[in-house]
Amino acid sequence: MSALTLGSELRNRPTRRSAEPGAFRLPMTAGRLAGMDGDEQLLRGRGHDHDAPSPGEAHDAGPGTACRFHRTGETASRDRAGGLHLDSHTPAIRVPAGLVVLVGPPASGKTSFVRALIARRQIDVEAVVSSDEIRAEFFGTSPAEAESDAADARIFEERDRRIAVRLAAGHSAVAESTNVTPQARARLVALARRFDAPVTMLRFAPDVADLLRQYTERGRTDLTAADVRAYAAVMTRQAGVEQLRSEGATAVHDVPGRRETITPSEAAAHFSFA
């Protein structure tokens, strides 16, 4: 699905707050879906990723591989599709210092996972760079001002600046946004390359039914169920494992969730951050 196609599908929907760049913003300015990481801007036919070029390590799977998780008994094994069955004996997936890019639709569990990592002291709160939080910092009391091209540019320039500061110091940075489109991810990959930093992409791809259930449970008012389905469709078409590898990801890992009956804290326990 092209950015313009998705933008046209969303054009007649109610306006609402944005997500992040390469993200697509819903009609309010025509495409905020995929997060203001560039997704929403590019999926409405414009974006702030014009400067970015187009388009790990895991236990025994090797760098650049993708791991899927399933809750089973007391040993770790692989199913016929190569899926990894996790339990307490499974070695943690080692994530090297560098840029960690979260990839997933709204309500897919990204924020809950990040909060679990922080609660478990696996990462510092300063490591997380969220475009939504930056938007709230800049325009929390003036939501109307946040819905403009100038606001988007300011937010993502600041997002990139914060990531660059951490990478320049040799620290990890976690880009918390939807990042479901190649354009959104290309901007981040280009930024990491400036510092020769590895890029680990963590995929959040729950079943649509689980995604909608989580969306309903969280009572979000900035998106509709149709919007969430649209994000999920883009994720399926444009954020597969091989696609992410081809874009320059050093390693790609699937983060388990409701489908695997794994809580955010349990999922976090299966990762180890340098």
Side-chain angles (χ1 to χ4, degrees):
M1 179 184 298
S2 68
L4 293 178
T5 300
L6 183 55
S8 65
E9 290 184 1
L10 299 172
R11 191 166 295 122
N12 295 321
R13 296 185 188 163
T15 61
R16 56 187 55 81
R17 184 181 66 81
S18 87
E20 353 76 48
F24 46 102
R25 168 151 40 189
L26 290 178
M28 50 169 225
T29 338
R32 277 235 171 174
L33 249 175
M36 286 309 308
D37 51 9
D39 290 336
E40 52 180 67
Q41 298 157 342
L42 291 160
L43 294 178
R44 71 188 178 204
R46 67 170 179 82
H48 300 304
D49 294 307
H50 45 77
D51 292 330
S54 298
E57 268 188 311
H59 9 97
D60 57 356
T65 59
C67 295
R68 298 188 64 83
F69 303 80
H70 306 276
R71 170 84 73 183
T72 57
E74 297 192 358
T75 60
S77 61
R78 292 188 180 278
D79 59 23
R80 291 181 181 179
L84 184 67
H85 296 273
L86 280 183
D87 63 29
S88 60
H89 301 294
T90 303
I93 293 172
R94 296 184 298 278
V95 178
L99 179 60
V100 179
V101 179
L102 307 187
V103 181
S108 58
K110 299 183 301 297
T111 300
S112 296
F113 176 71
V114 166
R115 287 175 178 167
L117 291 176
I118 294 171
R120 293 173 53 86
R121 299 184 178 179
Q122 291 171 256
I123 62 173
D124 296 329
V125 65
E126 293 82 6
V128 182
V129 183
S130 165
S131 53
D132 276 350
E133 290 186 4
I134 295 172
R135 184 175 300 276
E137 289 176 22
F138 286 176
F139 305 104
T141 59
S142 305
E145 295 180 19
E147 312 304 343
S148 69
D149 290 355
D152 291 346
R154 182 183 174 194
I155 289 163
F156 291 103
E157 286 169 4
E158 176 63 15
R159 190 274 310 264
D160 291 354
R161 185 194 70 78
R162 294 184 186 185
I163 290 175
V165 167
R166 290 195 61 83
L167 296 182
H171 300 311
S172 289
V174 179
E176 186 192 355
S177 45
T178 57
N179 299 313
V180 298
T181 64
Q183 295 92 334
R185 297 187 295 269
R187 174 170 178 158
L188 291 166
V189 170
L191 181 57
R193 284 176 176 166
R194 285 171 46 194
F195 302 95
D196 294 322
V199 178
T200 300
M201 295 195 184
L202 302 183
R203 296 175 73 252
F204 296 76
D207 292 333
V208 174
D210 286 338
L211 186 65
L212 292 173
R213 190 174 300 114
Q214 289 171 184
Y215 157 77
T216 300
E217 290 172 354
R218 293 169 190 180
R220 292 189 61 165
T221 59
D222 58 329
L223 297 171
T224 67
D227 297 335
V228 174
R229 287 193 189 93
Y231 272 108
V234 176
M235 173 80 179
T236 298
R237 298 180 186 184
Q238 299 188 358
V241 172
E242 293 304 322
Q243 172 76 24
L244 300 186
R245 289 176 183 162
S246 71
E247 293 171 2
T250 307
V252 180
H253 305 293
D254 280 357
V255 178
R258 184 190 291 260
R259 178 171 53 191
E260 298 82 7
T261 64
I262 291 177
T263 67
S265 182
E266 290 171 332
H270 289 294
F271 289 84
S272 173
F273 290 76

